[in-house]
Amino acid sequence: MTSSSYKTMGQQFGRRSWAEPWKIKMVEPLRMVSHEDRLLAAEEAGYNTFLLRSHDVYIDLLTDSGTSAMSDRQWAGIMLGDESYAGSRNFYHLEDAVRDYYGYQYVVPTHQGRGAEHLISQVVIKQGQYVPANMYFTTTRLHQELAGGIFVDVIISEAHDPSNLHPFKGNVDLNKLEDLIKREGVENIAFISLAGTVNMAGGQPVSMENVRALRELCDRYCIPIYLDATRMVENAFFIQQREDGYKDKSVAEILREFCSYTDGAWMSAKKDNLVNIGGWLAVNNHDLFDKLRNMVVVYEGLHTYGGMAGRDMEALAIGIAEGVQDDHVRSRVGQVLYLGRLLIDWDIPIVQPVGGHAIFLDAKAFYTHLSQDQFPAQTLAAQLYQESGVRGMERGIVSAGRDPKTGKHRYPALELTRLAIPRRVYTQAHMDVVAEAVKKVFDIRQQTRGLKMVYEPEYLRFFQARFEPIP
Ligand SMILES: *Cc1c(COP(=O)(O)O)cnc(C)c1O
């Protein structure tokens, strides 16, 4: 979103309408860390922000996963946990909430999103089948590959361009998809892996028009669509704001309609659903549900808790209902846009339009003198921490990993440093501090040197890899 369209949004609603629809009842002190201590901590962490201790972090924008503040109602729900091994009443509350707000029939609880990804991948992918997706997500693609699937990116090409202002950069390119189906044969397509919003593209939404057309195409070939619903509430908000015919519909109504075009979904409840841990998987097909419900006992726990405590499921059921309220979503995304506007006004290169959950700094545009194998986005995350104590993370070549066939780095078009905003946690003044910190790093960009990787784990290397500065 350009700063002028951001301003339009501000005028349209007035700041009062996206001010937080809550007040603060309990606070958690933050520690200001000295510059000296930050340099030491960065070195100890191998210049990987995932290896920092949170004690050494001032404002933590590593992730919006599991970092939300729960409401007083959710905390009250924690006290109502029914810790029976089987048939906990909290499970039925969760099942009702998923049915009511997402509209799927059958619900399988899991400990978090990747537990759900594991189950569905193992059950629906046959060895050597293709899994077309609107860009990849790290854990999603890995589970699909471990199940024998071959990931194919079918997102529209605008998504790979950080400055392209397309309002729905998460859309599936239906021509790319149909070409793949015709080339490989429909029997070699496991399912469509659709994400809304698309995390790795910068939190970009999928339009209702696109999912409707995708449904028609998939019906013609009898291919199921499974949705990564992790940030689907934020996606629904963007549809309300940007797509013709939706401005008078509630986020909850839009969410239900979108999900109705898909056959099932997996969820990292640690995002939109406002809990610190949890996940679920939901489908409409009873035979598939039977298989998933059988698998969950092996890997997660009984089908009425799936790795969560009863109290977790209660907080989750309440979080689902709170998370789809229009005033909540508007203030959540409004805060992200606020930070984005500050950076855009300073001509700092970020992915536009600004997405729903995070600001993505364009590290390639920061460090035009670094090649991609000097890890520009990793460098930027490390710099930002060292200069300010603000923690972000790499979303570029390190996250993209190696090609399973050739063993070579994958070179993604997007080399980004993500500043993810936890829900209901930081204030506008914190956002001002973050913007100033980014500005400081931007101003010294030309003197900044890259990194080399000195330790590389086999799976999801971005979590545990270690680096050293290039002398
Ligand atoms: C976080 C995330 C996941 C994985 O969920 P976990 O709860 O972290 O296991 C899957 N997809 C997307 C888009 C995510 O952001």
Side-chain angles (χ1 to χ4, degrees):
M1 188 165 288
T2 61
S3 59
S4 63
S5 55
Y6 167 83
K7 277 170 194 148
T8 317
M9 177 176 163
Q11 275 158 13
Q12 199 180 333
F13 299 112
R15 181 170 293 185
R16 193 185 298 167
S17 72
W18 59 268
E20 293 79 355
W22 38 259
K23 58 183 178 173
I24 297 167
K25 173 140 65 182
M26 190 187 285
V27 297
E28 176 180 344
L30 292 176
R31 188 170 87 98
M32 310 281 247
V33 192
S34 72
H35 188 234
E36 220 175 25
D37 286 349
R38 295 196 299 263
L39 296 184
L40 269 175
E43 193 185 341
E44 263 172 37
Y47 300 90
N48 184 345
T49 50
F50 277 102
L51 300 178
L52 288 167
R53 293 167 186 243
S54 66
H55 179 72
D56 294 323
V57 174
Y58 172 37
I59 296 176
D60 202 350
L61 308 185
L62 182 73
T63 175
D64 63 328
S65 178
T67 52
S68 300
M70 292 209 297
S71 67
D72 52 359
R73 279 142 220 252
Q74 285 178 290
W75 279 107
I78 291 272
M79 297 307 293
L80 300 176
D82 166 9
E83 307 305 342
S84 310
Y85 188 91
S88 159
R89 88 172 80 86
N90 311 121
F91 168 71
Y92 299 103
H93 296 165
L94 169 61
E95 189 180 52
D96 285 345
V98 173
R99 283 182 178 154
D100 286 351
Y101 290 101
Y102 291 85
Y104 303 110
Q105 265 310 300
Y106 306 112
V107 180
V108 179
T110 61
H111 77 285
Q112 59 185 83
R114 70 198 70 182
E117 289 170 342
H118 172 224
L119 300 183
I120 190 138
S121 300
Q122 291 294 328
V123 170
V124 302
I125 299 173
K126 294 198 198 90
Q127 186 67 35
Q129 275 187 324
Y130 292 89
V131 184
N134 54 345
M135 207 173 261
Y136 80 100
F137 184 72
T138 52
T139 57
T140 315
R141 181 174 65 191
L142 178 60
H143 279 298
Q144 292 165 351
E145 287 174 350
L146 290 172
I150 303 162
F151 163 87
V152 189
D153 187 6
V154 292
I155 201 166
I156 57 171
S157 45
E158 285 88 339
H160 297 284
D161 172 2
S163 58
N164 188 300
L165 293 177
H166 192 294
F168 292 102
K169 276 164 104 173
N171 281 356
V172 173
D173 184 326
L174 299 174
N175 291 326
K176 275 191 208 165
L177 175 59
E178 194 157 19
D179 286 350
L180 176 81
I181 299 170
K182 285 185 177 148
R183 194 168 64 240
E184 303 299 343
V186 65
E187 67 287 359
N188 292 317
I189 311 289
F191 64 94
I192 311 296
S193 179
L194 181 71
T197 60
V198 182
N199 191 352
M200 302 300 279
Q204 305 295 329
V206 177
S207 70
M208 197 70 90
E209 189 186 14
N210 188 247
V211 71
R212 222 182 274 128
L214 179 67
R215 178 78 266 170
E216 273 172 35
L217 180 86
C218 289
D219 279 348
R220 262 193 280 134
Y221 291 98
C222 288
I223 301 173
I225 305 170
Y226 297 116
L227 176 68
D228 183 335
T230 296
R231 294 186 187 80
M232 200 44 234
V233 176
E234 291 164 10
N235 196 116
F237 175 72
F238 284 122
I239 290 174
Q240 187 192 56
Q241 297 299 305
R242 297 177 186 172
E243 194 163 349
D244 284 345
Y246 288 94
K247 73 173 187 339
D248 296 324
K249 294 226 157 87
S250 68
V251 166
E253 286 169 320
I254 297 169
L255 177 68
R256 276 283 302 236
E257 181 185 340
F258 194 102
C259 293
S260 75
Y261 300 123
T262 68
D263 299 286
W266 64 87
M267 180 75 189
S268 171
K270 305 172 71 171
K271 323 288 179 32
D272 271 356
N273 292 167
L274 298 169
V275 286
N276 304 122
I277 192 72
W280 49 262
L281 181 58
V283 294
N284 289 328
N285 178 299
H286 193 273
D287 291 344
L288 175 58
F289 170 62
D290 259 351
K291 288 184 190 148
L292 294 167
R293 185 167 55 170
N294 191 214
M295 280 277 282
V296 76
V297 220
V298 183
Y299 292 102
E300 302 278 316
L302 193 71
H303 58 274
T304 55
Y305 75 85
M308 285 181 282
R311 55 181 174 270
D312 297 334
M313 292 189 284
E314 190 64 27
L316 170 50
I318 298 167
I320 289 174
E322 289 183 359
V324 299
Q325 301 306 316
D326 284 59
D327 56 359
H328 162 72
V329 197
R330 195 183 297 122
S331 84
R332 188 280 183 284
V333 177
Q335 187 179 44
V336 179
L337 294 178
Y338 173 80
L339 174 58
R341 189 201 52 174
L342 294 177
L343 299 175
I344 291 166
D345 284 351
W346 283 331
D347 292 322
I348 293 172
I350 66 173
V351 173
Q352 295 191 55
V354 170
H357 67 297
I359 296 297
F360 290 74
L361 306 171
D362 183 355
K364 266 189 195 166
F366 262 68
Y367 302 133
T368 48
H369 57 292
L370 297 185
S371 65
Q372 201 167 7
D373 40 26
Q374 294 173 325
F375 309 110
Q378 189 77 36
T379 303
L380 180 48
Q383 278 283 311
L384 184 64
Y385 171 72
Q386 288 169 291
E387 288 303 322
S388 67
V390 173
R391 168 157 74 170
M393 74 146 96
E394 198 261 10
R395 278 299 180 225
I397 185 170
V398 186
S399 294
R402 289 179 188 274
D403 186 296
K405 271 204 197 115
T406 65
K408 296 229 163 67
H409 288 310
R410 297 193 244 225
Y411 288 85
L414 298 177
E415 180 68 26
L416 308 173
T417 302
R418 186 182 81 174
L419 306 175
I421 317 294
R423 295 164 185 78
R424 308 194 289 206
V425 171
Y426 289 112
T427 66
Q428 189 159 317
H430 288 124
M431 295 302 109
D432 292 335
V433 171
V434 171
E436 284 160 17
V438 173
K439 172 89 166 66
K440 195 163 152 198
V441 173
F442 185 63
D443 288 343
I444 57 166
R445 65 193 180 281
Q446 257 118 24
Q447 294 101 274
T448 303
R449 276 172 310 203
L451 295 168
K452 65 170 189 273
M453 199 174 351
V454 293
Y455 167 70
E456 179 177 356
E458 187 180 351
Y459 298 115
L460 302 173
R461 62 184 183 177
F462 59 96
F463 283 130
Q464 291 153 340
R466 301 185 69 85
F467 301 82
E468 278 173 9
I470 296 172

